[in-house]
Amino acid sequence: MTSEADDTIAAIASPMTPAPRGIVRLSGHDCVDVLCRMDVLNKDEATGRRPFRSSKKLALGDPLGAIEVDVMVWPTQRSYTGQPSAELHLIGSAPLLQSSLDAAIRAGARAARPGEFTMRSFLAGRLDLTQAEAVLGVIEAEDRGTLDQALSQLAGNLSRPLQAARSTLLDLLADVEAGLDFVDEDIEFISDEALVQRLGELQSLLSQTRSQLSDRGGASPTIRVVLRGLPNAGKSRLLNMLSRTESAIVTDQAGTTRDLVTVESSWGGHSFQLIDTAGLESREESDPEAPISQEAQLQAAEAARGADVHIWCMDATLGDGFEWLKHPDAVLPDSKRSAELICVATKRDLVPAGWDGDSMQADLAVSSESGAGVESLIERLVAFAERRDAGETGSVIGTAARCQDSLAAAIDHLGQAVQWTEQSAGHELVAAEMRLAVEAIGEVTGQVYTDDILDRVFGRFCIGK
């Protein structure tokens, strides 16, 4: 980053919804001076150190005249960018926003580059590099699951363990190098056995993190699909039809399924795990089968908690099952927020030709005898898989691609350090490998970076972020 990092930058941020408002965002050491030259702030207001807000008139000249703006100022380094910052909130009209931006530039600001606000936050130590990439994931999130994953990375679910690993490795390196300084005095700061054990633990942690990134960066893990519904709703027949097997026992007697029945299937290049569960029911304690039923319900609820897709089966011949959807705690107990619910009217072949599935609020009507509607259900599952893959990899694919080589290098250096220690090859060689591992981990979190890395990360951002 050049000396331009000290300049005040300005950019238009996306209009806010649902209100038709827009933002001109500014940041830099001369931010307050720029606002004063725009006549939306005076020096008396800018003397404090606390964030403040005021309403002013911003003169835009002919033909726009003066408009009302809300001025929000963070006068110290306690802002997103780690610099004095401000936002002008105004009507979300493109000409007014552009004219306001032009006024800021005439007052001494310059136009921001893509991602420059987040880059300044990174350079100020407010975010590490993985969190900066998560900001882009939040911006681009198109569904709740994608947003949750990006927010999780922004909160530090990836960087925290890596920061801890780097800190531990630095402590170990200090012990090893201290031993080198006192080698003539026969002082041992850490035994070889303890060093090998600690380095091995760090290797395992980095390998686990790298594996997680591999999954995020394009692997397609199996999607868990759980079939739920009332007893005798046609769940088992549907499982057999979807899997083209006879895995589930099918009878006309309600409550035949007690234990979970699991079948693996594949469609559209995606792997699915289909899980048939016991029908949702409650029995009186005096019922001799109550303990068995209760255990079956617990198994079904546990399967539902980890499912990616819930297929809720409703018997079309009875027209029941929909009312249970009004009780999500029973149907979807503690399920993933990103999970998909598909309501299916089963036994379509047993109802009259003029039957209207809309009355049951069903997404699809299927027949496990004729196969009608089953292909449509499979298409829904494949569409979900493709959305999930795009969502789960989209917000972090840059992190995964960028970090894979660095983490692999860190793991290799730690492995070599363990080998040198076990072979008593000399702590000078061990320390050298450990320093290289520290540097490789630093490339992931941003303690060590180059202009090329920053260009790869922030070049994907839009202006104003």
Side-chain angles (χ1 to χ4, degrees), residues 30-352:
D30 296 329
C31 177
V32 170
D33 291 336
V34 169
L35 293 174
C36 291
R37 288 192 287 269
M38 293 174 69
D39 292 327
V40 294
L41 190 67
N42 58 58
K43 285 292 186 180
D44 293 337
E45 293 175 310
T47 56
R49 296 181 56 81
R50 296 176 64 86
F52 63 90
R53 172 178 178 172
S54 64
S55 295
K56 300 287 184 179
K57 289 283 188 179
L58 173 61
L60 298 178
D62 294 332
L64 298 175
I67 62 171
E68 191 80 25
V69 297
D70 289 330
V71 184
M72 301 183 184
V73 182
W74 294 263
T76 67
Q77 284 70 39
R78 289 180 295 179
S79 69
Y80 176 71
T81 60
Q83 300 172 324
S85 299
E87 290 181 353
L88 304 180
H89 291 227
L90 60 148
I91 298 172
S93 162
L96 293 180
L97 285 167
Q98 186 60 53
S99 296
S100 301
L101 176 62
D102 293 341
I105 292 175
R106 287 194 302 271
R110 66 169 174 81
R113 293 185 289 269
E116 189 165 357
F117 287 89
T118 302
M119 179 182 279
R120 290 189 177 203
S121 182
F122 163 70
L123 294 174
R126 306 282 288 181
L127 300 172
D128 66 31
L129 211 49
T130 62
Q131 290 173 311
E133 288 169 308
V135 171
L136 182 62
V138 172
I139 295 169
E140 295 182 339
E142 296 182 354
D143 55 48
R144 185 71 204 191
T146 308
L147 178 61
D148 286 346
Q149 185 169 0
L151 289 173
S152 179
Q153 182 165 316
L154 181 58
N157 76 322
L158 175 60
S159 59
R160 274 197 300 267
L162 291 178
Q163 294 279 18
R166 187 173 185 270
S167 177
T168 299
L169 187 54
L170 284 171
D171 290 341
L172 292 175
L173 179 58
D175 287 339
V176 172
E177 293 186 334
L180 291 174
D181 292 336
F182 292 92
V183 64
D184 293 333
E185 301 181 30
D186 196 27
I187 298 177
E188 185 179 65
F189 289 85
I190 184 171
S191 67
D192 286 353
E193 293 78 9
L195 180 61
V196 167
Q197 178 182 349
R198 299 289 297 279
L199 292 178
E201 291 171 354
L202 290 174
Q203 262 192 301
S204 298
L205 173 62
L206 296 183
S207 296
Q208 181 180 358
T209 302
R210 187 167 183 257
S211 177
Q212 292 172 349
L213 285 173
S214 296
D215 291 341
R216 293 178 178 183
S220 180
T222 299
I223 295 170
R224 289 168 58 87
V225 181
V226 63
L227 283 75
R228 303 216 72 197
L230 302 182
N232 207 28
K235 301 181 297 298
S236 299
R237 289 183 187 274
L238 182 57
L239 176 88
N240 289 344
M241 175 60 73
L242 287 170
S243 63
R244 302 187 187 281
T245 67
E246 296 296 328
S247 300
I249 299 173
V250 175
T251 70
D252 293 331
Q253 181 179 348
T256 300
T257 302
R258 292 298 189 188
D259 296 324
L260 300 181
V261 179
T262 303
V263 183
E264 303 288 338
S265 292
S266 177
W267 304 293
H270 302 276
S271 298
F272 296 84
Q273 184 183 62
L274 306 176
I275 305 172
D276 186 20
T277 63
L280 194 62
E281 64 176 358
S282 60
R283 293 177 182 254
E284 298 291 338
E285 292 185 5
S286 58
D287 189 324
E289 293 200 10
I292 299 175
S293 175
Q294 184 178 15
E295 181 62 29
Q297 298 303 310
L298 290 174
Q299 287 184 1
E302 183 63 29
R305 270 189 283 273
D308 300 298
V309 179
H310 301 259
I311 298 179
W312 181 252
C313 298
M314 300 179 287
D315 189 337
T317 63
L318 300 176
D320 64 356
F322 174 71
E323 286 298 316
W324 279 89
L325 295 177
K326 298 178 182 178
H327 307 282
D329 290 340
V331 178
L332 310 174
D334 300 324
S335 63
K336 298 180 180 179
R337 283 186 292 181
S338 59
E340 174 131 328
L341 173 64
I342 303 176
C343 299
V344 175
T346 61
K347 308 181 185 180
R348 175 65 184 86
D349 54 300
L350 300 180
V351 294

